[in-house]
Amino acid sequence: MTEHSDRSSFDAVVIGAGFSGLAMLYHLREIGLDTTVVEANDGIGGTWWVNRYPGVRTDSEFHYYSFSFSKEVREEWTWTERYPGGKEVLAYLNFVADRLDLRKDIQLNSRVRSAVWDDAAGQWTISLEDGRTLTATYLVSGMGVLSKPVYPAIPGIDSFAGERYHTADWPREGVDLSGKRVGLIGLGASGIQIVPVVAREAGEFFVFQRTPNYVVETNNEKVSAEWMQYVRDHYDEIFEQAAGHPFGVAMEPAKCSALEVSPDERRHIFESKWEEGGFHFANECFTDLASNHEASELASEFIRSKIREIVHDPETAELLCPKDYSFNGKRVPTGHGYYATFNRDNVHLVDVKSTPISAVTSRGLMVGDTEYELDVLIFATGFDAMTGTLTSIDIVGRDGLVLRDKWATEGLCSNLGISVHGFPNFFMSLGPQTPYSNLPVPIQLGAQWLQRLLVWARENNVPRIEATRGSEQWWARECERAGEATVMASEGEKAGAWFLGKNVPGKPKAFQVYMGGGQVYQEFCRAAEQDGYRSFLADLERA
């Protein structure tokens, strides 16, 4: 692994050394492309390097939150928890890098300032913040979807005199919260994970809630040797099952609609999958929890009943019950004792929807006319998801077109979330408009698809790969159609969901992800391949 490579010219430059960057590096090297990865941080891991707040862990179970392409990694790595914590996922990614000898082609502390396409030369020029310049035939974004943090627009946010942290910028040495008055803003997936851990440490813990969430509680068992061996023996089957599932999880598809069964049977199914925990509730109960408003509301009321069972104080329980939108209106988060945490005497839920936060002061937060004095203020306010990393740097395509400007004027557009018209030989892993999914699955499948595309381009002497304008228009329509066919369209709007861009002020409303199912998306990718990649050959369209 080189801090500052003496070389400057490559076949491919990949931005980011997380799951996407490692998968891309492995698969591009495998076909003989001279590839380097540039990583802004001083360690590999991407999202799992950035997010190190207390309680951070996967929402997905270990056996489908990992790669299947390396037999060596599969056989030699041992997971210890059903839902691995952040440190374990980071250790896994480091193991992947070591076992597959990827480090030698990763440059750390190498933040990209801009990438500019030279049409005459047929290459990209990548400028780094340390002054170095790289050139490459192919440029690949592996920057991830959840790594550009968002802060709320609260007056006086910089005036707080105490300790202030964002979950996406947590000190690597940790934070001592013992005995302190701690406030938390933000209750998406990160906030839900951090609450039970901080509550055990803080003196007084104030949770400022604007929008409650439907949290599917789960249990985090240790992985036995027998369980781990079973997974090793069946990795290919597990990955194939996940690849064939709409959400990229190795689960059995639901058998029937929530409206087709009796109330007693429906309650029994809800209960059994609630006990199984996590995404099993969202994915294995019924076929229509994401597509039918009545079914979604039945799941909503079941979870509300669970909240009322778990939380002792009726007033607190009602505040924790979402009522303005139904289940699946936000990405479903998993909880590890989240609701029970509000039974602790030192935990205080503050409703900031009915009385909003009016200001941050030097001493704490003003909610209406009430000041909450705090020693520590934590923001778990999420990310500019899907597009934020791509629009935060200057990616300049043909004729000086900047990617952020194209999306600002034309709307979000791409071909399958992989390629953008006007940006030859630029590819995105987990680009906007790729599936709403457990992410390691589309990351691996996407790297393997791109590998085949570039082999085809080499064998057929095709120098430029670029989405056609027609393909972008088609895919934008399909993403809109698929999204509107789900409850996410109306309920996500009500909930301010990131998958519609609603969590970032001023961001145009659009489905940031494809809601039609990961397995359907893969069929589209296969169809493009079988068609000779014509929708990625803009030169033919212009001819």
Side-chain angles (χ1 to χ4, degrees), residues 156-228:
I157 193 169
D158 295 323
S159 65
F160 182 59
E163 302 169 58
R164 191 181 82 169
Y165 306 102
H166 195 292
T167 50
D169 192 24
W170 200 262
R172 189 153 299 281
E173 67 274 12
V175 177
D176 181 8
L177 301 175
S178 55
K180 294 178 180 177
R181 295 167 300 179
V182 180
L184 173 71
I185 300 175
L187 285 172
S190 300
I192 286 160
Q193 289 182 338
I194 204 172
V195 160
V197 182
V198 170
R200 293 193 294 268
E201 202 176 326
E204 296 294 325
F205 188 24
F206 297 89
V207 179
F208 298 92
Q209 175 188 271
R210 184 178 60 181
T211 306
N213 225 317
Y214 292 101
V215 180
V216 285
E217 292 283 359
T218 195
N219 299 309
N220 192 27
E221 302 96 334
K222 296 295 183 184
V223 177
S224 66
E226 294 76 17
W227 190 2
M228 191 66 239

Side-chain angles (χ1 to χ4, degrees), residues 449 452-453 456 524-533 536:
W449 186 91
R452 295 193 298 274
L453 167 60
W456 175 89
F524 284 128
C525 290
R526 283 191 289 273
E529 189 172 351
Q530 291 162 4
D531 191 40
Y533 303 103
F536 291 88

Side-chain angles (χ1 to χ4, degrees), residues 277-309:
F279 290 153
H280 291 274
F281 182 89
N283 291 292
E284 293 186 314
C285 283
F286 298 105
T287 57
D288 49 359
L289 298 189
S291 59
N292 181 284
H293 284 82
E294 188 177 350
S296 170
E297 182 52 36
L298 289 168
S300 304
E301 190 49 46
F302 174 83
I303 296 177
R304 292 183 198 118
S305 73
K306 284 297 180 185
I307 296 170
R308 293 168 184 137
E309 283 178 21

Side-chain angles (χ1 to χ4, degrees), residues 71-191:
K71 182 174 174 55
E72 295 84 359
V73 171
R74 286 160 40 165
E75 290 296 320
E76 296 172 25
W77 176 259
T78 300
W79 293 100
T80 67
E81 292 185 298
R82 179 186 177 193
Y83 295 92
K87 289 182 179 178
E88 185 166 5
V89 179
L90 189 60
Y92 168 76
L93 292 172
N94 276 275
F95 180 80
V96 170
D98 289 333
R99 189 62 182 84
L100 302 181
D101 194 25
L102 302 179
R103 288 187 187 273
K104 66 183 181 183
D105 293 316
I106 299 173
Q107 302 184 49
L108 301 179
N109 299 306
S110 299
R111 184 177 297 276
V112 173
R113 185 176 68 241
S114 67
V116 180
W117 170 254
D118 183 335
D119 205 47
Q123 67 180 17
W124 285 91
T125 299
I126 300 98
S127 298
L128 305 178
E129 286 192 352
D130 61 14
R132 290 180 295 134
T133 299
L134 310 178
T135 59
T137 304
Y138 302 113
L139 176 65
V140 183
S141 169
M143 291 186 285
V145 301
L146 297 173
S147 58
K148 182 170 176 54
V150 171
Y151 282 89
I154 303 174
I157 193 169
D158 295 323
S159 65
F160 182 59
E163 302 169 58
R164 191 181 82 169
Y165 306 102
H166 195 292
T167 50
D169 192 24
W170 200 262
R172 189 153 299 281
E173 67 274 12
V175 177
D176 181 8
L177 301 175
S178 55
K180 294 178 180 177
R181 295 167 300 179
V182 180
L184 173 71
I185 300 175
L187 285 172
S190 300

